[in-house]
Amino acid sequence: MKALTSILVSVSLLLGACGGSSGPSGSDSTQPPASSTSSSSSTTSGSSTSSSSSSSGGSTSSTSSSTTSSSTSSSSGSSSGDAPTLSQDGNPIYGELEKYEDWLASGGDADSRLATDKALADNIISWQMPHGGFYKYDVSKYTNAWNGSEARSGWTGANGVELGTIDNDATVSELMFLADVYQRSGETSYRDAARAALDFLLTMQTDTGGWPQVYPERTGTSYSNHVTFNDNAMARVLILLDAIQREASPLDGDLFSETQRTQVDAAIEAGVDFILNAQIEQGETLTVWCAQHDAQTYEPRAARSYELASKSGKESVLVVAFLMTRPQTEEVETAVKAALAWYRNPEVQVADTAYVKRSGSSSDDNYNPIQARNGSTMWYRFYDLDENTGFFSGRAAPEGEGKQYDIMLIEPERRYGYEWGGRYGDRILGYAGLVGY
């Protein structure tokens, strides 16, 4: 199998060097690297279960209420060349870039599929804004080319500038699609548009290493300008940059310039530094991350009225998973193992419980999505910063005043219109067990 993988990689590189390939569409950026080295360090921790299972917000910790983000300047790259790496088999980051594959044509032969995909790519390019970014449109928006006058973004900044975003896979998916079409067609218009999208992503990175939700800055609201882990926005950008760094298909060959590839290396290092500096300390214990952080102080920040500053059980999963793709320097390993310990903490876990969304056809406002289920472990999406207590929040109350510890006490619109829990920790703890973490 390894020999076959080496042959396929060699063929891919040869095709990329020729400026494209007429081969099948699709991506190997969703697959882990063929070779990796296990870390020489191995620390395991038994997974414990919580004794509570109800619609309330979890068990309350007696941990110190002094909660801050780690503001000590961290550098991930000082000795990374000598640091061990982990096997990537089972890492949940792989698969995060494949949304664009749903945009690819599926019927007909290779030539007809390419023709269909080129037509869509041409439309996508017409919607690309001058800074290189895209808005968070569904692919159906690209059925037609931009007409030259319609707004290309739903958000604006100073002086009416249209904003690009990384929310909901935006810009990342368009870049991946354009890259795929370039590799099959060799037509440089698609390569140039992909390069412009990468330039946008590199430009929007803050001087502290984070990625906000939008670029340029959004006016009229502040949360979009915070560094955004919410809905895996920053993690997905870093996962893309990692795939570019590895020259995974369709991001290989001459798709990007050597200057851009050098910039990608530096952007990843800066991104890791931001993650290390933003990791939330509960008392003197490192834990996980908020869905948003201040770009300069690294402090946890709120977003919409129901998205309060918190420790995020959902968004932290891919942050940890991305750190596990990096050389395991002392700083990175410490951060990873601290986050894994938090996910394993019985105060954080809700044993024998599952989060079951209400059916879309149901109008039962007495339905409780937090339900008893033997053998299932649930994690809340949001936890108090100073305690390991899960909470919920309504939209209707004034900002910051809708916080509740019983999901049935928030209004039905938010109770059923948002995801408040899930088996989040399973994704990362399963992988951690495979690598001895």
Side-chain angles (χ1 to χ4, degrees):
M1 178 62 71
K2 290 184 177 179
L4 178 58
T5 301
S6 298
I7 293 170
L8 291 173
V9 170
S10 298
V11 171
S12 174
L13 290 173
L14 287 170
L15 291 171
C18 296
S21 166
S22 60
S25 61
S27 164
D28 70 18
S29 61
T30 63
Q31 301 300 318
S35 62
S36 54
T37 305
S38 295
S39 170
S40 59
S41 160
S42 175
T43 302
T44 59
S45 172
S47 177
S48 303
T49 55
S50 169
S51 60
S52 66
S53 172
S54 71
S55 63
S56 61
S59 58
T60 302
S61 166
S62 58
T63 307
S64 166
S65 61
S66 172
T67 306
T68 61
S69 293
S70 174
S71 57
T72 304
S73 177
S74 298
S75 176
S76 62
S78 57
S79 59
S80 61
D82 299 324
T85 56
L86 301 173
S87 167
Q88 293 303 295
D89 291 337
N91 189 322
I93 73 163
Y94 300 100
E96 282 298 313
L97 301 181
E98 64 188 16
K99 176 182 175 181
Y100 88 95
E101 294 181 2
D102 292 337
W103 299 5
L104 295 168
S106 58
D109 59 20
D111 288 342
S112 65
R113 290 196 301 271
L114 178 57
T116 299
D117 290 340
K118 284 173 58 179
L120 182 62
D122 290 339
N123 289 347
I124 289 173
I125 292 172
S126 75
W127 285 94
Q128 189 171 29
M129 288 170 270
H131 46 54
F134 293 87
Y135 187 61
K136 53 178 181 178
Y137 290 124
D138 182 79
V139 66
S140 60
K141 187 71 171 181
Y142 302 133
T143 302
N144 299 306
W146 181 53
N147 62 14
S149 61
E150 183 180 351
R152 284 175 290 186
S153 174
W155 293 332
T156 57
N159 301 314
V161 62
E162 293 182 313
L163 308 184
T165 183
I166 56 174
D167 193 26
N168 295 359
D169 298 286
T171 303
V172 172
S173 291
E174 285 84 353
L175 185 156
M176 291 291 294
F177 188 88
L178 292 165
D180 190 293
V181 174
Y182 169 65
Q183 298 292 10
R184 289 183 287 142
S185 70
E187 295 183 24
T188 57
S189 60
Y190 308 122
R191 180 195 67 186
D192 294 346
R195 288 183 175 185
L198 177 59
D199 282 341
F200 170 80
L201 296 175
L202 295 171
T203 298
M204 75 183 297
Q205 188 177 25
T206 68
D207 58 3
T208 53
W211 272 267
Q213 187 184 52
V214 300
Y215 182 82
E217 285 195 353
R218 186 178 176 187
T219 54
T221 185
S222 61
Y223 76 83
S224 291
N225 304 321
H226 297 321
V227 170
T228 304
F229 293 122
N230 191 34
D231 292 332
N232 301 318
M234 175 168 160
R236 191 173 295 106
V237 172
L238 284 168
I239 292 166
L240 171 71
L241 298 185
D242 171 71
I244 292 172
Q245 188 178 64
R246 292 185 287 108
E247 297 196 53
S249 174
L251 306 170
D252 52 343
D254 68 344
L255 178 67
F256 300 116
S257 69
E258 289 306 310
T259 296
Q260 286 181 309
R261 292 191 181 276
T262 299
Q263 291 173 326
V264 163
D265 294 342
I268 291 174
E269 291 293 331
V272 171
D273 286 345
F274 186 93
I275 290 171
L276 297 180
N277 285 319
Q279 191 169 17
I280 296 169
E281 292 182 9
Q282 185 173 324
E284 297 181 354
T285 302
L286 288 171
T287 60
V288 287
W289 292 264
C290 185
Q292 297 82 210
H293 285 263
D294 189 282
Q296 299 302 317
T297 69
Y298 308 104
E299 294 294 321
R301 291 285 181 255
R304 291 169 289 190
S305 60
Y306 52 92
E307 295 171 323
L308 309 182
S310 66
K311 300 192 298 289
S312 175
K314 179 180 181 181
E315 276 76 12
S316 296
V317 168
L318 286 188
V319 177
V320 183
F322 178 76
L323 287 180
M324 295 175 80
T325 70
R326 301 296 91 199
Q328 296 296 288
T329 63
E330 181 180 355
E331 296 87 354
V332 171
E333 182 178 352
T334 296
V336 168
K337 289 184 174 179
L340 293 174
W342 183 84
Y343 276 103
R344 291 182 173 117
N345 189 334
E347 293 177 343
V348 173
Q349 297 180 350
V350 187
D352 296 322
T353 303
Y355 185 84
V356 183
K357 295 181 180 180
R358 187 181 73 173
S359 169
S361 61
S362 173
S363 59
D364 179 8
D365 287 346
N366 292 314
Y367 176 82
N368 190 332
I370 298 176
Q371 301 184 7
R373 179 174 294 178
N374 279 340
S376 177
T377 301
M378 190 192 81
W379 286 261
Y380 293 101
R381 184 166 189 168
F382 300 136
Y383 291 79
D384 283 333
L385 288 169
D386 56 354
E387 296 180 336
N388 291 324
T389 308
F391 69 82
F392 320 95
S393 185
R395 188 202 297 270
E399 185 170 347
E401 297 181 16
K403 188 175 188 179
Q404 299 288 345
Y405 294 95
D406 185 333
I407 197 169
M408 300 306 290
L409 296 180
I410 63 174
E411 71 270 20
E413 186 274 332
R414 280 299 79 193
R415 187 186 311 147
Y416 308 118
Y418 197 69
E419 182 179 285
W420 296 103
R423 299 180 61 178
Y424 305 133
D426 286 351
R427 296 183 68 195
I428 193 63
L429 293 181
Y431 170 57
L434 294 175
V435 297
Y437 267 35

